């Protein structure tokens, strides 16, 4: 045998339309060999494949960018870590160590925050469904309760009687901010007067008082101006309530929704072009507070930024298991990770990066997961060179919502590794096994 | 005449199919396989020869050569 280097045989029809001054789709390869200095191949060798990888350095940088965008413009701002975005304990701890309080939308998220040592007063309890007993515990522990509906308001009055106390609450409102779709399912509508009515009802009852106004206008908001409108409406409502009920509202909360640099399907400009910066969002919100503040004190400002904090700090490493040639000529790769781990693949196109440079041209390819399901498509059409079996692909950004929504379906949920700020990798969640899957079955 | 006999292969690994006016970019191994096909070698013979030349198992070569031949068929270059 000789030492002639082997390169898989390829043939591709030459489409002259494809050659352009922007570089050839037949040649472009996106390569990632490491994350924060740790080789992707070493990560999968050591911890298995597929595997989720988070960069603590990138989380901290993002937090600092967002925090300073606001703190440089406004004296009193606090972020609440949106647990549902990613509630792995070690991830939550990173945010809490940076100064975030917790934002939760269920009893189990609430319990998780408490188990991490977060005091009730540092937990924002949101959401349309707060079971009575859990709501009562949250009230007793001094949590920030954001009322979603009139049933909850009644429950809170009952709790006030039971505990013989007057309960401070915030109200979630929704409104038209000129964006589509309008999130009108949560909280009380501003324009219709429902929000004001609910507040009046609250004061009439005499058992609750308002200390905050909250809105979360939607997710992946590409228009910073929508926040200006939302803030303006919140500040107007605040001024009206303070006058009408002779009260002082301590805080406003603008929720989450800042876009991350994901590529939304059907949008052809790159995320770098269309996603507003942290400064754009901060400017929009703080300008509107200053412009509409009627009280002596500025309100405390809370934000519940989820995806923009963590999406780009999360990666999924997956390995090529094999490939097939489909009847339409496309090459279909079988990967060890699929849509079971990539819930957001319905809406976003991911960056797919190769672990090395390949000689040879790209050809139309498709990435399929390991599930025995026709819907298991990570990427329907992309140009790739002939990949080796076992080569590692890095899929990003996947830090927001993918792990929390990953399904234990057909395959075990994979391990999660965090690379700390010294560049060392640690397992923060082990891969599941039969015992985890069978847990609590009879 | 067989389609494969009509194909013209140049030194830049471009394969030309005069009847359809289409061109195809090959890599070196693609070129080697098309050259062997034009010499009327069988799939097994091609795999044997490649196994002697490269440090790759026959089982892997079988997958890659089969795939290459499927793509030639999809392009209508091989019957
Ligand atoms: C009340 C609330 N706050 C914060 C968030 C986090 O949103 P995002 O990840 O878009 O920043 C959500 C997400 O839906 C939410 O419902």
């Amino acid at each position: 045998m000789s030492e002639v280097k082997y390169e898989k045989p390829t043939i591709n029809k030459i489409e002259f339309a494809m050659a352009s001054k922007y570089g050839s789709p037949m040649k472009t390869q996106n390569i990632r060999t490491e994350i924060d200095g740790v080789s992707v191949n070493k990560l999968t060798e050591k911890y298995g494949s597929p595997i989720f990888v988070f960069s603590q350095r990138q989380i901290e940088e993002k937090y600092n960018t967002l925090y300073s965008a606001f703190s440089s413009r406004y004296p009193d701002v606090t972020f609440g870590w949106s647990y549902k975005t990613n509630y792995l304990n070690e991830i939550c701890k990173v945010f809490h160590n940076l100064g975030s309080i917790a934002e939760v939308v269920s009893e189990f998220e609430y319990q998780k925050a408490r188990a991490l040592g977060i005091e009730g007063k540092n937990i924002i309890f949101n959401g349309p469904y707060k079971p009575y007993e859990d709501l009562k515990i949250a009230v007793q522990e001094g949590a920030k309760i954001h009322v979603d509906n009139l049933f909850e308001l009644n429950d809170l009055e009952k709790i006030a009687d039971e505990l013989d106390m007057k309960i401070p609450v915030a109200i979630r409102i929704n409104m038209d901010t000129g964006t589509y779709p309008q999130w009108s399912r949560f909280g009380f509508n501003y324009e219709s007067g429902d929000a004001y009515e609910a507040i009046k009802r609250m004061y009439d009852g005499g058992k609750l008082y308002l200390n905050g106004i909250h809105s979360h206008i939607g997710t992946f908001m590409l228009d910073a101006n929508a926040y200006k409108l939302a803030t303006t409406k919140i500040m107007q409502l605040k001024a009206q309530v303070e006058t009408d009920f002779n009260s002082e509202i301590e805080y406003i909360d603008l929720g989450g929704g800042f876009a991350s640099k994901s590529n939304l399907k059907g949008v052809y400009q790159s995320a770098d072009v269309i996603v507003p910066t942290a400064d754009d969002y901060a400017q929009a919100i703080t300008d509107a507070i200053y412009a509409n503040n009627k009280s002596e004190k500025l309100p405390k400002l809370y934000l519940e930024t989820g995806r923009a904090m963590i999406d780009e700090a999360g990666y999924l490493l997956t390995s090529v298991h094999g490939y097939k040639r489909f009847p339409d000529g496309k090459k279909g790769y079988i990967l060890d990770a699929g849509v079971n781990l990539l819930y957001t693949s319905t809406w976003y196109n991911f960056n797919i990066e190769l672990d090395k440079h390949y000689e040879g041209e790209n050809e139309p390819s498709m990435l399929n997961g390991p599930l025995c399901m026709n819907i298991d498509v990570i990427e329907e059409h992309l140009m790739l060179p002939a990949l080796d079996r076992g080569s590692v692909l890095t899929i990003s950004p996947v830090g927001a919502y993918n792990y929390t929504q990953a399904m234990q379906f057909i395959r075990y949920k994979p391990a999660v590794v965090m690379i700390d700020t010294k560049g060392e990798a640690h397992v923060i969640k082990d891969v599941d096994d039969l015992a985890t899957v069978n847990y609590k079955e009879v | 005449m067989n389609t494969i006999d009509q194909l013209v292969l140049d030194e830049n690994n471009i394969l030309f199919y005069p009847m359809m006016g289409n061109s195809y970019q090959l890599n070196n191994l693609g070129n080697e396989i098309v050259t062997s096909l034009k010499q009327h070698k069988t799939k097994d013979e091609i795999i044997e020869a490649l196994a002697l030349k490269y440090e790759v198992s026959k089982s892997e070569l079988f997958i890659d050569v089969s795939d290459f031949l499927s793509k030639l068929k999809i392009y209508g270059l091989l019957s």
Side-chain angles (χ1 to χ4, degrees):
Chain A
M1 287 209 194
S2 78
E3 287 298 297
V4 187
K5 194 165 170 284
Y6 180 74
E7 188 191 307
K8 292 182 193 302
T10 59
I11 174 166
N12 288 295
K13 187 161 175 221
I14 298 173
E15 309 275 5
F16 290 98
M18 276 183 130
S20 88
K21 63 179 175 176
Y22 299 114
S24 163
M26 307 304 290
K27 297 274 186 219
T28 308
Q29 292 180 19
N30 299 315
I31 318 256
R32 172 182 290 279
T33 55
E34 44 93 13
I35 299 169
D36 283 4
V38 187
S39 134
V40 294
N41 298 98
K42 290 253 165 58
L43 284 164
T44 53
E45 269 161 37
K46 187 153 178 206
Y47 303 108
S49 177
I51 187 165
F52 278 100
V53 179
F54 287 90
S55 157
Q56 186 178 347
R57 182 184 61 77
Q58 290 172 47
I59 295 174
E60 294 189 357
E61 280 177 12
K62 229 342 145 21
Y63 177 89
N64 290 330
T65 302
L66 279 156
Y67 183 79
S68 52
F70 281 89
S71 66
S72 61
R73 295 177 167 84
Y74 199 73
D76 195 354
V77 59
T78 302
F79 281 84
W81 175 235
S82 156
Y83 266 45
K84 67 168 134 6
T85 307
N86 191 322
Y87 45 58
L88 285 158
N89 290 329
E90 291 300 315
I91 298 278
C92 295
K93 279 192 212 163
V94 170
F95 284 104
H96 294 319
N97 288 336
L98 289 166
S100 288
I101 62 169
E103 186 269 331
V104 305
V105 291
S106 73
E107 74 286 15
F108 112 65
E109 290 187 358
Y110 185 88
Q111 290 158 11
K112 224 172 194 287
R114 293 288 293 124
L116 288 173
I118 306 303
E119 290 179 71
K121 69 174 167 45
N122 289 326
I123 302 176
I124 294 170
F125 197 175
N126 276 324
Y129 178 67
K130 303 183 185 81
Y132 188 83
E133 286 309 319
D134 301 296
L135 186 60
K136 189 170 169 185
I137 292 169
V139 168
Q140 279 172 310
E141 294 181 343
K144 295 181 173 29
I145 314 287
H146 289 189
V147 181
D148 176 82
N149 56 69
L150 291 172
F151 293 91
E152 188 181 331
L153 201 152
N154 290 345
D155 285 348
L156 284 162
E157 289 189 331
K158 193 159 162 233
I159 292 169
D161 284 341
E162 284 176 28
L163 299 177
D164 193 21
M165 66 183 283
K166 211 167 167 180
I167 305 173
V169 295
I171 188 170
R172 171 147 178 192
I173 66 169
N174 63 68
M175 76 262 298
D176 183 7
T177 56
T179 55
Y180 180 84
Q182 190 179 329
W183 279 36
S184 45
R185 271 183 46 205
F186 305 104
F188 301 88
N189 187 257
Y190 173 76
E191 288 85 4
S192 69
D194 285 357
Y196 185 83
E197 277 295 300
I199 295 167
K200 183 168 179 303
R201 158 73 188 79
M202 198 183 277
Y203 279 101
D204 288 347
K207 295 171 184 174
L208 313 174
Y209 65 95
L210 196 70
N211 74 334
I213 303 177
H214 169 228
S215 76
H216 168 76
I217 57 177
T219 195
F220 206 81
M221 305 301 295
L222 291 170
D223 180 10
N225 196 48
Y227 285 94
K228 190 170 185 173
L229 285 170
T231 309
T232 302
K233 291 181 180 181
I234 287 180
M235 290 300 289
Q236 286 168 350
L237 182 62
K238 176 176 177 292
Q240 191 184 356
V241 172
E242 287 179 334
T243 313
D244 294 359
F245 303 101
N246 191 25
S247 61
E248 191 183 308
I249 294 170
E250 183 195 341
Y251 70 88
I252 66 169
D253 177 348
L254 265 294
F258 301 161
S260 53
K261 297 225 165 135
S262 320
N263 293 297
L264 203 58
K265 285 192 170 157
V267 172
Y268 296 100
Q269 294 116 311
S270 104
D272 286 320
V273 179
I274 58 170
V275 172
T277 62
D279 286 311
D280 295 336
Y281 289 121
Q283 190 78 40
I285 292 172
T286 56
D287 276 358
I289 301 179
Y290 289 122
N292 294 285
N293 185 50
K294 299 258 164 40
S295 108
E296 273 169 36
K297 261 172 73 183
L298 284 167
K300 254 171 130 43
L301 171 63
Y302 288 100
L303 293 151
E304 304 166 350
T305 311
R307 73 170 66 254
M309 282 284 182
I310 198 168
D311 209 18
E312 291 135 62
Y315 305 83
L316 177 64
L317 307 185
T318 176
S319 304
V320 174
H321 181 71
Y323 71 83
K324 277 179 190 170
R325 182 67 57 184
F326 295 142
D328 65 356
K330 216 182 246 186
K331 193 161 181 175
Y333 287 97
I334 307 164
L335 306 179
D336 58 12
V339 293
N340 52 327
L341 307 181
L342 293 167
Y343 188 78
T344 65
S345 61
T346 319
W347 303 283
Y348 302 104
N349 286 320
F350 301 112
N351 303 315
I352 313 273
E353 296 167 304
L354 315 177
D355 57 354
K356 63 176 182 199
H357 177 79
Y358 283 85
E359 294 305 323
E361 296 205 326
N362 292 339
E363 62 180 320
S365 309
M366 178 170 183
L367 297 180
N368 297 110
L371 310 180
C372 198
M373 307 277 292
N374 207 41
I375 53 149
D376 194 12
V377 180
I378 293 179
E379 194 58 67
E380 180 114 31
H381 182 88
L382 79 171
M383 298 296 287
L384 289 177
L387 303 178
D388 291 334
R389 185 175 203 204
S391 67
V392 175
L393 304 184
T394 302
I395 301 180
S396 68
V398 302
Y401 299 102
N402 285 295
Y403 188 80
T404 36
Q405 293 185 84
M407 276 178 279
Q408 185 272 298
F409 179 54
I410 300 185
R411 299 207 69 222
Y412 292 125
K413 261 182 106 165
V416 184
V417 161
M418 177 130 71
I419 301 174
D420 68 21
T421 48
K422 294 185 213 82
E424 277 166 37
H426 308 272
V427 174
I428 60 169
K429 172 117 174 31
D430 256 327
V431 61
D432 278 359
D433 56 19
L434 192 57
T436 18
V437 173
N438 283 343
Y439 184 60
K440 299 227 174 176
E441 277 195 52
V442 290
Chain B
M1 199 162 57
N2 264 333
T3 311
I4 198 83
D5 297 321
Q6 297 174 33
L7 302 178
V8 183
L9 195 51
D10 78 4
E11 67 278 11
N12 295 319
N13 287 340
I14 305 275
L15 184 67
F16 185 57
Y17 184 13
M19 205 168 86
M20 303 299 288
N22 289 335
S23 303
Y24 304 86
Q25 179 71 58
L26 300 167
N27 65 354
N28 290 338
L29 194 52
N31 185 322
E32 271 182 72
I33 297 174
V34 171
T35 305
S36 305
L37 290 170
K38 287 171 88 55
Q39 294 161 358
H40 301 285
K41 298 253 170 62
T42 64
K43 179 171 164 181
D44 287 346
E45 288 166 343
I46 293 171
I47 292 169
E48 283 290 333
L50 294 177
L52 290 174
K53 185 165 169 193
Y54 297 99
E55 222 167 314
V56 179
S57 70
K58 274 194 208 167
S59 54
E60 187 179 338
L61 282 169
F62 181 86
I63 298 178
D64 291 347
V65 172
S66 305
D67 177 59
F68 183 78
L69 298 182
S70 323
K71 208 164 169 197
L72 286 180
K73 283 183 194 147
I74 291 163
Y75 281 146
L77 303 177
L78 194 67
S79 32

